[in-house]
């Protein structure tokens, strides 16, 4: 049975998405195609329904040329690496769009560009969708013999970038002030005293600042991987563009970070036995309550790295703490003038150490 959906484009014109859906003996097949004129869409539906009515046509298509949604499904189910919650959610969202109904062999760069144009959000967000979709195109043919053309995806990405449909995420340069940090620590110390079972966010914040660790990495640190005598710790599954699991990296620990670890209770295998989501939620709620605008927990890492450069550390020395494999990523910090250690006499460190 065929149907036509009218969509209004950004330029005010209309497109007509024709959809053919056939079900026979438990076998289901979807196919869509977009036209500029309704009569053309109607004619295509009649033609495709006639072709699919032939004996064996439907079964052959489903076996040799499944829809994009099938490729997405297999990718999320069969990938050995942990693709991450965000990427999984993006792929599930893509599967709800009309492009997911198209047979793999029929998807052209034009279809991909139209899909990207239909997405809400800023060009940076659309760029993330394109990147995650590209990972499907890269492996579908060699791995499953699905007829997705990686060249069409590459062409679409090139066009989308040049047309401003997608763009890279802007670098974030927000750094907390000492006053903001003081207010956060006082808030969380007071909460801990009133509710002893609450997470010691004051310690987590100070450790994140001096260790430059991400929240997810902090929650995976264990006592067994901590080598105080060598002033280092093993960060398991450290975030890396090409590796999600097994990227275990030894990093150096500044003295302040070691002092925070020493102040923690050894009640569990993890030094900070909390969830990344809980850390983010606690931090976000506190900032809102205290009137601290546009400050993210990840900004503590940026502050920590900036601090090391302000103290006159060179790139290799900083990378040993931050865990950066590529020193190119740290070049954005090298413009910082050496101003010494503004945290040298900061009472916030002692406040976090002294309060359980």
């Amino acid at each position: 049975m065929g149907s036509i959906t009218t969509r209004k484009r950004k330029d005010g014109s209309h497109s007509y998405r024709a959809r053919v859906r056939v079900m026979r003996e438990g076998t289901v097949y979807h196919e869509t195609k977009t036209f500029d004129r309704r009569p053309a869409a109607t004619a295509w539906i009649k033609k495709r329904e006639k072709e699919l009515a032939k004996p064996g046509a439907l079964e052959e298509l489903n076996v040799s040329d499944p829809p994009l949604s099938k490729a997405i499904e297999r990718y999320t189910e069969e990938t050995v690496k942990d693709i991450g919650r965000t990427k999984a959610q993006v792929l599930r969202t893509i599967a709800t769009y009309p492009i997911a109904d198209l047979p793999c062999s029929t998807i052209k760069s034009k279809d991909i560009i139209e899909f990207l144009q239909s997405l809400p959000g800023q060009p940076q967000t659309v760029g993330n969708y394109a990147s995650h979709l590209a990972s499907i195109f890269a492996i579908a043919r060699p791995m499953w013999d699905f007829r997705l053309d990686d060249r069409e995806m590459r062409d679409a990405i090139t066009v989308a970038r040049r047309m401003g449909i997608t763009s890279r995420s802007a670098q974030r340069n927000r750094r907390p002030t000492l006053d903001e940090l003081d207010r956060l620590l006082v808030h969380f110390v007071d909460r801990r005293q009133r509710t002893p079972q609450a997470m010691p966010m004051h310690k987590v914040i100070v450790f994140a600042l001096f260790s430059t660790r991400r929240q997810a990495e902090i929650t995976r640190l264990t006592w067994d991987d901590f080598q105080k005598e060598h002033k280092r710790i093993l960060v398991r599954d450290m975030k890396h563009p090409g590796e999600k699991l097994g990227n275990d990296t030894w990093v150096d620990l500044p003295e302040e970070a070691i002092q925070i670890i020493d102040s923690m209770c050894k009640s569990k295998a993890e030094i900070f036995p909390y969830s990344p989501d809980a850390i983010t939620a606690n931090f976000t709620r506190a900032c809102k309550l205290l009137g601290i605008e546009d400050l993210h927990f990840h900004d503590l890492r940026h502050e920590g790295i900036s601090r090391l450069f302000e103290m006159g550390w060179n790139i290799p020395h900083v990378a040993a703490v931050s865990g950066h494999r590529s020193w190119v990523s740290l070049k954005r910090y090298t413009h910082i003038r050496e101003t010494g250690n503004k945290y040298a006499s900061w009472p916030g460190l002692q406040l976090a150490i002294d309060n359980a």
Side-chain angles (χ1 to χ4, degrees), residues 271-327:
I271 300 173
F272 301 92
Y274 317 109
S275 75
D277 288 344
I279 291 175
T280 301
N282 275 276
F283 190 86
T284 302
R285 282 196 298 266
C287 287
K288 184 176 182 180
L289 179 66
L290 299 172
I292 299 174
E293 298 182 357
D294 190 35
L295 184 64
H296 302 168
F297 188 87
H298 191 75
D299 295 331
L300 298 174
R301 173 173 166 83
H302 178 64
E303 172 67 11
I305 294 173
S306 298
R307 164 185 172 265
L308 298 178
F309 277 110
E310 288 173 347
M311 291 168 59
W313 289 27
N314 58 27
I315 288 180
H317 198 180
V318 173
V321 174
S322 68
H324 282 88
R325 286 187 183 181
S326 172
W327 292 354

Side-chain angles (χ1 to χ4, degrees), residues 8-106:
K8 188 174 182 179
R9 298 190 177 109
K10 292 182 178 179
D11 62 1
S13 64
H14 290 84
S15 65
Y16 302 90
R17 183 168 67 91
R19 182 185 185 190
V20 173
R21 183 177 186 273
V22 181
M23 179 182 295
R24 187 163 60 245
E25 297 179 357
T27 302
V28 182
Y29 178 75
H30 301 266
E31 187 173 342
T32 62
K33 191 171 182 179
T34 302
F35 297 87
D36 292 329
R37 298 174 59 250
R38 179 179 284 273
T42 303
W44 178 81
I45 289 176
K46 292 179 179 179
K47 175 176 176 291
R48 287 303 289 152
E49 288 180 336
K50 184 177 180 179
E51 292 171 347
L52 293 173
K54 296 178 181 179
L58 185 60
E59 291 76 13
E60 181 180 351
L61 278 171
N62 270 317
V63 171
S64 62
D65 195 14
L68 175 62
S69 59
K70 184 64 176 179
I72 294 174
E73 178 184 336
R74 291 197 65 170
Y75 182 85
T76 55
E77 289 180 353
E78 298 180 19
T79 182
V80 175
K81 295 182 178 181
D82 180 7
I83 63 175
R85 184 179 60 182
T86 300
K87 184 173 184 177
Q89 179 58 47
V90 167
L91 293 177
R92 285 194 295 269
T93 301
I94 293 175
T96 67
Y97 277 77
I99 192 174
D101 294 332
L102 295 177
C104 290
S105 67
T106 68

Side-chain angles (χ1 to χ4, degrees), residues 51-339:
E51 292 171 347
L52 293 173
K54 296 178 181 179
L58 185 60
E59 291 76 13
E60 181 180 351
L61 278 171
N62 270 317
V63 171
S64 62
D65 195 14
L68 175 62
S69 59
K70 184 64 176 179
I72 294 174
E73 178 184 336
R74 291 197 65 170
Y75 182 85
T76 55
E77 289 180 353
E78 298 180 19
T79 182
V80 175
K81 295 182 178 181
D82 180 7
I83 63 175
R85 184 179 60 182
T86 300
K87 184 173 184 177
Q89 179 58 47
V90 167
L91 293 177
R92 285 194 295 269
T93 301
I94 293 175
T96 67
Y97 277 77
I99 192 174
D101 294 332
L102 295 177
C104 290
S105 67
T106 68
I107 299 178
K108 304 299 181 183
S109 58
K110 178 177 179 295
D111 301 309
I112 300 170
I113 293 169
E114 287 182 350
F115 158 67
L116 296 177
Q117 288 178 315
S118 71
L119 290 170
Q122 298 298 314
Q124 296 90 337
T125 301
V126 177
N128 288 335
Y129 274 73
S131 175
H132 295 325
L133 181 58
S135 63
I136 305 292
F137 276 74
I139 70 169
R141 181 185 291 274
M143 188 167 185
W144 306 306
D145 199 28
F146 288 1
R147 292 152 61 186
L148 281 176
D149 193 338
D150 192 32
R151 292 172 300 181
E152 298 290 343
M153 187 73 229
R154 293 198 299 269
D155 287 346
I157 288 177
T158 298
V159 171
R161 285 176 179 169
R162 294 186 177 182
M163 297 299 292
I165 301 170
T166 64
S167 68
R168 293 185 177 182
S169 298
Q171 288 186 338
R172 184 174 172 82
N173 294 309
R174 174 70 157 94
R175 296 176 60 178
T177 65
L178 286 176
D179 175 68
E180 289 171 336
L181 290 172
D182 288 338
R183 289 158 60 196
L184 283 166
L185 295 187
V186 169
H187 167 77
F188 283 118
V189 167
D190 179 65
R191 188 188 70 165
R192 179 77 169 180
Q193 291 174 347
R194 289 184 287 103
T195 312
Q197 68 271 24
M199 184 194 311
M201 276 292 296
H202 50 293
K203 293 184 182 294
V204 175
I205 288 173
V206 175
F207 180 79
L209 172 66
F210 288 110
S211 69
T212 75
R213 300 269 58 81
R214 305 172 178 89
Q215 59 261 50
E217 294 170 354
I218 292 174
T219 62
R220 291 195 295 269
L221 300 176
T222 67
W223 292 104
D224 288 342
D225 291 334
F226 174 44
Q227 294 184 353
K228 182 177 180 179
E229 65 278 15
H230 298 299
K231 296 185 177 181
R232 67 176 191 169
I233 196 166
L234 182 65
V235 180
R236 298 190 179 275
D237 299 333
M238 181 181 287
K239 182 178 180 181
H240 185 267
E243 299 291 337
K244 300 300 181 185
L245 295 176
N247 184 34
D248 302 340
T249 306
W250 285 101
V251 296
D252 293 346
L253 286 171
E255 183 60 35
E256 296 90 344
I258 294 175
Q259 292 179 47
I260 294 296
I261 291 179
D262 285 341
S263 72
M264 292 296 295
C265 176
K266 289 187 177 182
S267 58
K268 295 184 179 180
E270 297 82 13
I271 300 173
F272 301 92
Y274 317 109
S275 75
D277 288 344
I279 291 175
T280 301
N282 275 276
F283 190 86
T284 302
R285 282 196 298 266
C287 287
K288 184 176 182 180
L289 179 66
L290 299 172
I292 299 174
E293 298 182 357
D294 190 35
L295 184 64
H296 302 168
F297 188 87
H298 191 75
D299 295 331
L300 298 174
R301 173 173 166 83
H302 178 64
E303 172 67 11
I305 294 173
S306 298
R307 164 185 172 265
L308 298 178
F309 277 110
E310 288 173 347
M311 291 168 59
W313 289 27
N314 58 27
I315 288 180
H317 198 180
V318 173
V321 174
S322 68
H324 282 88
R325 286 187 183 181
S326 172
W327 292 354
V328 174
S329 302
L330 291 173
K331 284 186 176 180
R332 61 181 292 210
Y333 298 93
T334 55
H335 70 280
I336 296 176
R337 295 181 178 180
E338 298 180 20
T339 59

